[in-house]
Amino acid sequence: MSATTDPIPVRALNQVTYCPRLYYLQYVDCVMPVNEHVEGGLFDHRRVDSGDLKNKTRTDRGTATSRGVALSSEVLGISGVLDVIEEKNGEQYPVETKHGKAPHDDDGKPTVWDNDAVQLCAQALLMEEAFGQPVPRGYQFHAGSRERVPLEFTDALRQKTRAAITRCRELQVLDAPPEPLPAELRHRCFGCSLASVCQPEEILYQIGHPNPADVDTSSAKTPPDVRLVIPKSDNGAVLYLQEPGSSVGKRSEHLVIKKDGKEMNRVPLHAVRQVVVCGNVQVSTQALETMAENEIGVSYVTGHGRFIGSFVPAPAKNVSLREAQFRKFSDPAASLELSKAVVRAKLANQRTLLMRTLRGEEEARGSHEPAAKGMYGLLAGLDRLTSVESVLGTEGQGAALYFGEFKRFLKQPPTGKGFDFTTRNRRPPRDPVNAVLSFAYAMLAKDCFAAVCTVGFDPYKGFFHQGRHGKPSFALDLMEEFRPVIADSVVLTLINNELLAPADFIIWRDACNLTDAGRKAFFAAYEQRKCTEVTHPVYGYRMSYARMLEVQARMLAAFVRGEIPTYTGFMVR
Amino acid sequence: MDSYLVCYDISDPKRLRKVARTCEDFGYRKQLSVFLVRVSSTAIVRLRTRLYDIINRDEDQVLFIPLTESALQRMEAIGRATDAHDKHDAAITM
């Protein structure tokens, strides 16, 4: 990446001192998630940020106070909006508000964190240049403990601040973020709003254990010592809008769903993380705008589940990841390695599901099934393959073995009204089981599409499904390992637990489709499945499938950028 | 995701409307001034700060009662029916 001459915000100097990786992710990749600490900080800053008080000076008992003063310096290459500048007895000084409590030194006196000191000092440097008079000290106000702490701008601090500016410039030209903070500074990661993007523990673990296969054999039982820094699951519900003829408007920040002029329901937007519009539903522009502002993605699918498009908040801005993606996926060796990783995971998951479902049906254990043995053989032969085409072949053979037995996965109720399955067919699916399978894959594809877009990939440039034009190849690549464990598993739950009945399907000519009621049952089961917590194959801790999709996409991003040596597909244990 | 029961007592009709509308942005109305809010820890801070700015801190009150998952599961209503809330509130289908 090339260097820019844009001024560096003084806030960035705070971040780079705290953690260089944090700086890179926020200011070079431009990822800015908000968490409760950031939100709390905004609250503390509301007086400073309010438009009425900006750039105005008030005098109170000999102290003149100016709020929200914007300054920049071309010499230093920095700029910033200063919370407060006070002037008393002819001396000007910056005052900065911070959300937390003041740290205390050994004598119990309140002090200022190193990174905050750098930020305050940078403000002083800006003031000195703008006003032409020395600024020897400033104040840090800690809103948490309501303490106002003085800070002297010593030569050492000034040097440190200039070094931080240089460090920012150095980091801007890197293609990948610097390594996470070392373990002794890990306490800084807890509460960091970027933890789920950065994944510090996970990246460091993989750098230290370049070959996960070696680790698995030596310590099959003990999970790796990776501390959980990221949240286990995503927050909020997925809202499916499918009532034909209904319209969705917004009032304040909740959605109001109406049909024939009558209000059907209200849904608070802050409790929702994704919206799926299925069929004939009108969503107002105002509602779409509010959802985009709140970073809620809206996907449009047809009644058959075909993904039409999505309305997402401005896409991720990390161009360097997309550049790396195109480089890496155009490299045959890397594509082959990744293809093997996803197919290995897919076959292993299909085999596990097959053995689990057929266990106990007869006395024999699931692993004695001929199909399970066949798939084991395919898995063993995977390493020897030398082209992506042959990996595709192996995947096809695995699918044939798996779907050859799929009929036996379906429980037949004693009344004999169960569903039948002979072969996998699609476009259009011709029987109920194929219809639900197709629908489930379509929903999963939509979620994988969202996951790769969130991370900042181009969903159309894949490594395994190559040259399939108009298909989001990369989203489909990521989806492979999850097909059996999310989609197939939901289908089996719906059918074997009799959550779907023959009346939930419409058959017209050759095509079979879910009805509105059938889709409703599907959505509930599908989202429940995504909430199920499972153990990550490499990191060894539990998280929901919904989170797992994103974690795997982020692991791919780290691999593509060369941060970690290998990618490991998701495998159930 | 955190669950809270948010109840309020507001002495001025104008502020009352504002508080009600803000709560509707975050949770489901259970009774006239009782909301079930199931959101991220970020959103609960946002709700609290918004309400803090609306209410008169001498006359009004908003209660935030944190609910555990098991408490929520044992919620029961007598009289009029109320919507059941599943364990994750994972899918809302309209």
Side-chain angles (χ1 to χ4, degrees), chain A residues 54-97:
Chain A
K54 232 169 220 161
N55 274 320
K56 278 184 196 149
T57 307
R58 282 195 322 178
T59 309
D60 182 25
R61 274 175 284 169
T63 308
T65 309
S66 314
R67 291 176 193 276
V69 183
L71 294 177
S72 80
S73 157
E74 282 184 23
V75 182
L76 295 163
I78 58 174
S79 70
V81 180
L82 278 59
D83 277 358
V84 171
I85 296 178
E86 285 185 357
E87 188 172 354
K88 196 174 185 180
N89 306 329
E91 191 185 299
Q92 283 190 326
Y93 47 84
V95 182
E96 173 71 17
T97 304

Side-chain angles (χ1 to χ4, degrees), chain A residues 237-238 240 252-254 266, chain B residues 21 24-25 89-90 92 94:
Chain A
V238 179
Y240 289 91
S252 182
E253 285 170 27
H254 51 271
R266 289 183 179 200
Chain B
R21 187 181 278 204
E24 282 191 311
D25 292 346
D89 265 343
I92 309 168
M94 280 285 99

Side-chain angles (χ1 to χ4, degrees), chain A residues 449-463:
Chain A
F449 190 93
V452 299
C453 288
T454 308
V455 175
F457 280 116
D458 181 328
Y460 292 93
K461 175 72 180 172
F463 50 85

Side-chain angles (χ1 to χ4, degrees), chain A residues 370-386:
Chain A
K373 282 184 179 164
M375 290 169 94
Y376 189 79
L378 290 175
L379 275 167
L382 199 59
D383 274 334
R384 291 194 297 275
L385 302 179
T386 52

Side-chain angles (χ1 to χ4, degrees), chain B residues 15-79:
Chain B
R15 291 200 300 272
L16 176 69
R17 274 197 300 279
K18 280 188 184 168
V19 167
R21 187 181 278 204
T22 306
C23 288
E24 282 191 311
D25 292 346
F26 289 83
Y28 303 92
R29 189 166 222 149
K30 285 286 164 198
Q31 289 182 358
L32 282 180
S33 60
V34 179
F35 282 80
L36 179 62
V37 177
R38 312 197 64 193
V39 290
S40 65
S41 40
T42 310
I44 202 77
V45 174
R46 196 173 294 170
L47 172 63
R48 193 160 53 220
T49 56
R50 284 194 195 174
L51 293 177
Y52 188 85
D53 280 346
I54 296 171
I55 61 168
N56 178 324
R57 276 152 356 232
D58 295 323
E59 294 174 15
D60 307 336
Q61 186 192 53
V62 182
L63 275 180
F64 290 80
I65 306 171
L67 297 173
T68 60
E69 211 49 68
S70 72
L72 197 60
Q73 291 310 306
R74 283 182 280 124
M75 179 177 84
E76 65 174 315
I78 55 174

Side-chain angles (χ1 to χ4, degrees), chain A residues 305 307 338 341-343 345-347 349-350 395 403 424 426-427 436-452 459 462-465 468 471-488 522 526 545 548-550 552-553 556 567 569-570:
Chain A
F307 178 64
L338 284 173
V342 296
V343 171
K346 182 186 183 182
L347 284 171
N349 290 343
Q350 283 180 330
E395 189 234 337
F403 282 110
R424 172 85 185 108
R426 59 214 178 99
R427 287 185 216 153
V436 206
L437 278 171
S438 288
F439 198 78
Y441 294 144
M443 288 297 118
L444 187 56
K446 168 213 77 178
D447 285 336
C448 290
F449 190 93
V452 299
F463 50 85
F464 181 49
H465 295 91
R468 285 169 67 180
K471 291 268 177 197
S473 305
F474 184 46
L476 299 176
D477 291 347
L478 174 67
M479 176 174 154
E480 286 300 342
E481 59 202 63
F482 292 105
R483 277 174 187 260
V485 282
I486 300 183
D488 298 352
F522 177 87
Y526 178 68
Y545 272 120
M548 187 75 74
L549 286 178
E550 194 192 319
Q552 289 301 90
L556 270 166
Y567 170 75
F570 168 74

